[in-house]
Amino acid sequence: MNLRCAIIDDEPLAVSLLESYVQKTPFLELVGKYSNPLSAMAGIKSNPVDLLFLDIQMPELSGLEFAKLVDPETRIVFTTAFSQYALESYRANALDYLLKPISYNDFLDAANKALQWFELSKAKILKEEDISPAESKEFFYVKSEHRLVKINLKDITYIEGLKDYIKINLDGKKAVLSLMRMRALEDFLPEDKFLRVHRSFIVNLDKIEVMERTRIVFGKNYIPVSDNCIETIREYIQKHSIL
């Protein structure tokens, strides 16, 4: 996958340096470089990009203000000499924040983050509308360690959220770790088979064999159940109980 990118910076030397970095990076294609945000706005509108390397302190319009005006799907890496904007940059949903002088290693790390984000977006969980109803609830693919791994829903015992990653625990197989938000996976999984029982856990209801009060037992692992999910779990168990 190649990413179309642009550089916006009012310092010519900074633009030249970043341009040289882009040229060294095989998956980046430079389609625009701008010395002020107003000309950049017009250029990007006619020639959209995937990734922006964006300075923060610029005349007429700051990088933080500019970031609010671009397409939400455009990923932004802020490039600045001032560390005090870091918090604001992440509030602006920046992918990364690079402090000048920027080394190529730091630049490449940020570019790889962007590449991974777009690869995950492209090869994300198969959308129900893109596949037949018979297939839609049987499996999906996730990226793990630069590979696409097929996950059969019937093999999942539970899913654990680990900050920006998820850990998919499988019945009789090695767990799969993937860079993904819990919400993205939760939205795909069939509601009648999977339940988010805790902020950090989704369980396969068919795999529940033992429950102790407010936790589900999977072998040696104990999954906490939030108060608002206790009743749902109990109702599910009661439907399948002979008491």
Side-chain angles (χ1 to χ4, degrees):
M1 174 182 284
N2 287 333
L3 301 183
R4 293 164 55 84
C5 67
I7 300 166
I8 307 174
D9 200 308
D10 62 335
E11 299 177 11
L13 289 177
V15 173
S16 297
L17 179 66
L18 292 176
E19 182 178 7
S20 71
Y21 287 170
V22 170
Q23 291 171 350
K24 289 170 61 175
T25 309
F27 56 85
L28 292 182
E29 175 189 357
L30 185 64
V31 297
K33 51 183 181 178
Y34 307 93
S35 59
N36 72 77
L38 296 183
S39 61
M41 185 60 69
I44 291 172
K45 187 174 182 181
S46 60
N47 199 10
V49 298
D50 302 308
L51 179 62
L52 273 181
F53 294 97
L54 178 61
D55 190 17
I56 290 182
Q57 281 203 343
M58 295 184 290
E60 300 178 314
L61 191 69
S62 76
L64 293 169
E65 294 169 328
F66 186 90
K68 298 175 183 177
L69 303 176
V70 300
D71 189 307
E73 292 300 308
T74 301
R75 298 292 86 190
I76 294 173
V77 173
F78 282 115
T79 58
T80 180
F82 304 96
S83 61
Q84 65 264 32
Y85 297 112
L87 181 58
E88 288 182 79
S89 75
Y90 286 109
R91 286 175 179 165
N93 201 27
L95 192 67
D96 211 338
Y97 184 93
L98 301 180
L99 279 175
K100 298 176 182 178
I102 299 168
S103 69
Y104 180 63
N105 283 340
D106 288 342
F107 175 91
L108 185 59
D109 284 344
N112 277 321
K113 283 183 184 180
L115 179 63
Q116 187 174 49
W117 189 92
F118 281 101
E119 285 179 339
L120 285 171
S121 295
K122 185 176 180 180
K124 223 172 194 181
I125 301 170
L126 298 175
K127 302 293 183 181
E128 290 186 42
E129 59 267 25
D130 294 334
I131 52 182
S132 69
E135 296 173 321
S136 64
K137 299 300 182 183
E138 293 180 0
F139 64 88
F140 57 86
Y141 289 90
V142 295
K143 187 173 182 181
S144 179
E145 298 180 348
H146 306 291
R147 300 177 302 161
L148 284 174
V149 180
K150 182 179 180 180
I151 305 292
N152 292 308
L153 268 64
K154 63 181 179 62
D155 293 335
I156 299 172
T157 53
Y158 67 93
I159 299 150
E160 182 178 0
L162 304 169
K163 292 188 177 179
D164 292 332
Y165 288 81
I166 60 166
K167 182 179 181 182
I168 304 172
N169 293 276
L170 303 170
D171 193 2
K173 299 179 182 179
K174 184 179 178 181
V176 174
L177 195 66
S178 179
L179 179 63
M180 184 187 299
R181 299 286 185 181
M182 284 280 280
R183 184 56 185 270
L185 188 52
E186 182 184 12
D187 289 343
F188 172 82
L189 295 170
E191 295 180 1
D192 61 329
K193 296 291 185 181
F194 291 84
L195 179 66
R196 190 166 185 170
V197 298
H198 183 272
R199 181 170 56 89
S200 301
F201 292 96
I202 298 172
V203 300
N204 183 343
L205 294 170
D206 288 343
K207 298 290 185 177
I208 297 176
E209 296 185 357
V210 179
M211 184 167 179
E212 296 179 356
R213 297 185 180 181
T214 60
R215 60 185 186 178
I216 300 167
V217 183
F218 288 106
K220 296 181 180 180
N221 298 317
Y222 295 87
I223 308 304
V225 179
S226 301
D227 292 342
N228 60 337
C229 291
I230 289 290
E231 193 58 35
T232 303
I233 291 290
R234 286 174 178 167
E235 288 177 2
Y236 176 83
I237 292 175
Q238 188 173 9
K239 287 180 182 179
H240 298 81
S241 297
I242 302 175
L243 301 174

